[in-house]
Amino acid sequence: MTLTTPLPIFDGHNDALLRLLNSTAADPVAGFLAGGDEGHIDLPKARAGHLAGGLFAVFCPSPEKIDFGALRAAGGEVPMPPPLPMDAARVSAVRMISLLFQLERASEGRFAVCRSAADIRAAMARGAMAAVLHIEGVECIDPELDFLEVLYAAGLRSLGPVWSRNNAFGYGVPFRFPGSPDIGPGLTEAGKRLVASCNRLGVLIDLSHLNERGFWDVAELSSAPLVATHSNAHALCPTPRNLTDDQLRAIRDSNGMVGLNFATGFLRPDGQMNPDTEIELMVRHLDHLIEVAGDTHVGIGSDFDGAMIPSTIGSAADLPVLVEALERHGYDRPLLERLGTGNWLSLLERTIG
């Protein structure tokens, strides 16, 4: 039973485009719009769970299969594949970006690609799902940044310089438990140029997979708020993918943002990828993020379609389960509205315009 009036949610990160890229369906775009059993996000699931929009990630997979089995028990580490060649990354990136625009065209107004916070607000007001193009790990971009200009013209408004796989721009954090994000050097010279260009264009820089030295490089170089679209609290789950309290305070001080990641391996104190994970752990992480970063700097960054999530939230349709848990915990309606959409929209106004 729903305990509260519907709460719209803007989500800082999903991998729905990668799922569609890998789909064996004859028409994955039609499947997304019509809904079905596959995946965490499609249009009917989003409407059922009041998912109003989000950052739709383009993640270019490695040819080598990545085995996350080591993280099903504490103490494991997932070997990362070698760097992804730019040409291979560009092929899959263009295909996923094409899927995003095919969704918009086929949706008959129900799905909108947005280039500004005003676009997002307008889409939400008319009941359309608001999608912002994001790239997670920019192997498809050349070090000279020529392709960045092309992508910006196509609608790119957010990027993460690296996924956990190292590239020409910086160094990612490994999938390891336990571990610190303080691993290796920071941004390369190309990565530093990328930060400057993103600031010039108005492209959000996502720090979620960047190592700690790279995080502090961005903090020193960037004039924009610091943002980690889908990360949790290292103090509660000591994986390198989560943020230390010092990083959370830097996000607060920059008027930035962190989005709660639903991945069980980044929620559980034992670091296990296990769907039998209590929703109370999500509440505890939100409590900690709010305590350290402040309640105007925290939102949702689900990692839907890109991670193993708690079985109590089987898909976007079940987002009200989290809302009800937060309400039982004592979060009032104004705070829920900030966590749902208000903080993200305010942040996007400060970054992409």
Side-chain angles (χ1 to χ4, degrees):
M1 182 177 69
T2 301
L3 300 179
T4 187
T5 54
L7 180 77
I9 289 176
F10 187 91
D11 183 14
H13 187 88
N14 74 65
D15 285 292
L17 296 176
L18 179 63
R19 179 176 66 80
L20 296 182
L21 177 72
N22 292 331
S23 174
T24 58
D27 189 345
V29 169
F32 181 94
L33 298 174
D37 295 332
E38 292 185 4
H40 294 147
I41 296 180
D42 57 37
L43 194 57
K45 291 188 185 81
R47 288 188 164 177
H50 313 293
L51 178 62
L55 272 61
F56 277 66
V58 169
F59 166 66
C60 302
S62 297
E64 303 85 357
K65 181 177 175 58
I66 302 173
D67 182 8
F68 288 95
L71 290 184
R72 295 187 184 277
E77 179 171 355
V78 178
M80 284 292 98
L84 186 64
M86 183 179 67
D87 289 346
R90 195 166 287 183
V91 168
S92 56
V94 169
R95 288 181 63 195
M96 281 180 274
I97 295 168
S98 173
L99 285 167
L100 184 71
F101 287 107
Q102 289 176 55
L103 286 171
E104 181 178 48
R105 186 175 65 253
S107 73
E108 298 179 338
R110 295 172 292 163
F111 184 97
V113 179
C114 300
R115 293 167 171 80
S116 68
D119 286 351
I120 296 169
R121 292 184 188 277
M124 290 171 54
R126 65 178 184 268
M129 189 174 192
V132 176
L133 174 57
H134 168 85
I135 292 183
E136 180 178 41
V138 293
E139 286 91 347
C140 67
I141 296 177
D142 52 289
E144 294 75 27
L145 306 180
D146 293 330
F147 200 50
L148 175 64
E149 299 284 350
V150 175
L151 290 170
Y152 182 81
L156 179 70
R157 292 298 182 271
S158 175
L159 63 78
V162 302
W163 183 66
S164 289
R165 175 182 57 203
N166 299 339
N167 64 24
F169 300 93
Y171 297 82
V173 288
F175 290 93
R176 173 190 299 163
F177 189 90
S180 164
D182 185 13
I183 298 165
L187 296 179
T188 65
E189 290 305 311
K192 294 174 182 178
R193 293 195 300 272
L194 178 65
V195 169
S197 291
C198 287
N199 284 173
R200 173 178 56 83
L201 292 169
V203 173
L204 183 154
I205 303 167
D206 178 20
L207 306 172
S208 282
H209 282 269
L210 194 62
N211 69 353
E212 189 170 4
R213 183 60 260 167
F215 178 101
W216 295 117
D217 283 345
V218 175
E220 179 180 352
L221 295 167
S222 179
S223 59
L226 300 177
V227 183
T229 63
H230 57 306
S231 294
N232 294 337
H234 192 272
L236 301 184
C237 174
T239 169
R241 270 286 283 111
N242 285 342
L243 298 166
T244 67
D245 285 359
D246 283 345
Q247 289 174 303
L248 290 172
R249 282 187 282 267
I251 286 172
R252 175 200 65 199
D253 293 345
S254 75
N255 206 14
M257 186 83 181
V258 56
L260 175 77
N261 192 321
F262 293 6
T264 60
F266 307 147
L267 289 167
R268 297 171 61 97
D270 61 8
Q272 291 188 20
M273 292 176 60
N274 183 345
D276 187 18
T277 295
E278 296 179 351
I279 200 165
E280 283 72 21
L281 287 177
M282 302 173 76
V283 178
R284 289 179 207 166
H285 276 270
L286 279 173
D287 279 347
H288 188 88
L289 297 175
I290 289 170
E291 179 183 359
V292 180
D295 66 12
T296 58
H297 305 295
V298 179
I300 300 300
S302 69
D303 217 352
F304 278 146
D305 282 323
M308 178 181 290
I309 64 176
S311 57
T312 48
I313 301 182
S315 74
D318 299 313
L319 282 168
V321 174
L322 175 59
V323 176
E324 291 167 12
L326 294 173
E327 191 171 55
R328 289 194 302 271
H329 187 63
Y331 285 28
D332 61 20
R333 185 70 186 191
L335 175 55
L336 289 172
E337 290 174 350
R338 288 195 293 278
L339 297 176
T341 59
N343 289 345
W344 271 121
L345 291 177
S346 177
L347 180 281
L348 290 167
E349 286 172 344
R350 300 193 297 275
T351 51
I352 71 172

